[in-house]
Amino acid sequence: MPEAHAFSIPMRTRFRGITVREGMLLRGAAGWGEFSPFLEYDDVVAAPWLAAALEAAEVGWPEPLRASVPVNVTVPAVGPEAAHATVLRGGCRTAKVKVAEPGQTLADDEARLEAVRDALGPDGKVRVDANGGWTVEEAVTAIGRLDRAAGGLEYVEQPCASVEDLAAVRRRVDVPIAADESIRRAEDPYRVRDLEAADVAVLKVQPLGGVRACLRIAEDIGLPVVVSSALETSVGIAAGVALAAALPELGHACGLATVQLLTGDVVAHPLLPVDGALPVTRPDVDPALLAEHAAADDRAAHWQARLAAIRQDHPL
């Protein structure tokens, strides 16, 4: 088993309901891998995350087909001024905007999208992510309003929770639909294809078990692919970049510019976008930064126990 180090890094703003990102970094013969399933995930759901980390640490990744990967800026469910400022960082020409946040209204989402469009200008692309937060009827109404507020949407990611509801929404709106949770959290990721529920497949390396596992899904699912992050450090983001770099076709900007949502990182040169793209590279962990962001003893013990339990119950 590779050596393991638990980390804890605060977020710049609450995102996906969390304010601190935790996980483990594994170092093996091939380099560093990241194991950072969210705390609410049980061992069954978390097992592919460990498989992805071990692939990175012990095996490595396929050869890249490109030297850089275009990325979108990710805009949390913040107010219009903060959304505008977020878009201006990193030079991305595509923005992914969180919507359907619990406790917020559709009017809040519209104001955020109007600010994002203003920051991007008329030629930028805007996509939204509802994280399965709407019913079919809510989605149909919201998509029409948000499409107008954004001056046109590239696509809507996971408007509803179930694949069946995605298919129903797709038949009733003109905006393309992307599937995320319906692929990475599903027992059968190909139901999205079989039910014609989406126009775009969002793939995330850790939840799906590694770069090679994602390449197999991309080949079999028959949809354009967007590679997205699971809110990782640059170690985990490097795996996403490796996947995007190895895809035969890459027609959309990827959701990999999320290191900027963290207050720190474990590498000296974080994977942050320059002119809207990330380089295809594998940054090395900086020992001083690893020590700076080391998890407290009780949290490190939690992660060591979690790692041991998954290794025991789900041998990889």
Side-chain angles (χ1 to χ4, degrees):
M1 183 70 188
E3 66 178 84
H5 304 263
F7 68 85
S8 178
I9 303 176
M11 309 283 297
R12 294 189 183 278
T13 187
R14 179 180 292 272
F15 189 85
R16 203 192 164 280
I18 64 174
T19 56
V20 177
R21 192 68 175 103
E22 292 185 354
M24 299 195 85
L25 300 177
L26 310 181
R27 182 165 68 175
W32 289 89
E34 179 166 337
F35 170 63
S36 54
F38 294 105
L39 298 181
E40 70 270 21
Y41 290 176
D42 63 24
D43 288 353
V44 174
V45 175
W49 297 64
L50 181 54
L54 292 174
E55 176 192 51
E58 297 181 338
V59 181
W61 302 313
E63 288 297 313
L65 301 178
R66 50 190 61 85
S68 66
V69 172
V71 292
N72 66 246
V73 58
T74 298
V75 181
V78 295
E81 290 187 5
H84 192 281
T86 298
V87 172
L88 295 181
R89 293 195 293 267
C92 297
R93 302 304 305 146
T94 300
K96 172 180 170 178
V97 185
K98 291 293 182 178
V99 296
E101 181 81 358
Q104 296 189 5
T105 67
L106 190 53
D108 294 326
D109 294 337
E110 289 175 297
R112 188 178 310 116
L113 283 168
E114 289 168 356
V116 167
R117 172 56 69 193
D118 182 69
L120 277 177
D123 61 336
K125 294 180 179 179
V126 181
R127 54 183 69 157
V128 298
D129 183 5
N131 287 118
W134 294 318
T135 66
V136 171
E137 294 303 323
E138 288 171 341
V140 171
T141 298
I143 289 169
R145 287 176 56 176
L146 298 181
D147 188 43
R148 290 189 291 273
L153 289 172
E154 181 186 21
Y155 62 70
V156 177
E157 183 175 324
Q158 202 68 41
C160 304
S162 75
V163 178
E164 291 79 9
D165 285 352
L166 284 192
V169 170
R170 184 170 179 260
R171 289 192 292 268
R172 294 178 57 183
V173 300
D174 294 327
V175 177
I177 301 298
D180 174 12
E181 288 90 343
S182 288
I183 294 174
R184 65 179 169 88
R185 296 296 301 274
E187 290 185 8
D188 180 6
Y190 301 110
R191 277 180 59 76
V192 165
R193 173 198 63 196
D194 297 342
L195 296 182
E196 298 182 347
D199 304 277
V200 176
V202 178
L203 303 186
K204 298 182 177 181
V205 171
Q206 281 203 78
L208 290 168
V211 171
R212 288 170 179 81
C214 287
L215 287 172
R216 288 192 295 272
I217 293 173
E219 182 178 2
D220 293 340
I221 205 165
L223 293 171
V225 167
V226 170
V227 181
S228 195
S229 88
L231 203 57
E232 294 118 326
T233 71
S234 286
V235 173
I237 294 297
V241 170
L243 170 58
L247 287 167
E249 297 181 11
L250 190 65
H252 295 275
C254 290
L256 296 170
T258 54
V259 170
Q260 60 195 10
L261 299 175
L262 306 177
T263 60
D265 202 354
V266 293
V267 306
H269 301 287
L271 282 173
L272 295 169
V274 176
D275 296 330
L278 293 179
V280 178
T281 185
R282 187 168 186 176
D284 200 18
V285 168
D286 182 288
L289 292 172
L290 184 61
E292 178 182 340
H293 297 298
D297 289 347
D298 61 328
R299 299 309 302 159
H302 164 90
W303 281 100
Q304 290 287 356
R306 191 171 195 190
L307 180 65
I310 296 173
R311 291 283 287 181
Q312 177 177 326
D313 296 337
H314 303 277
L316 302 171

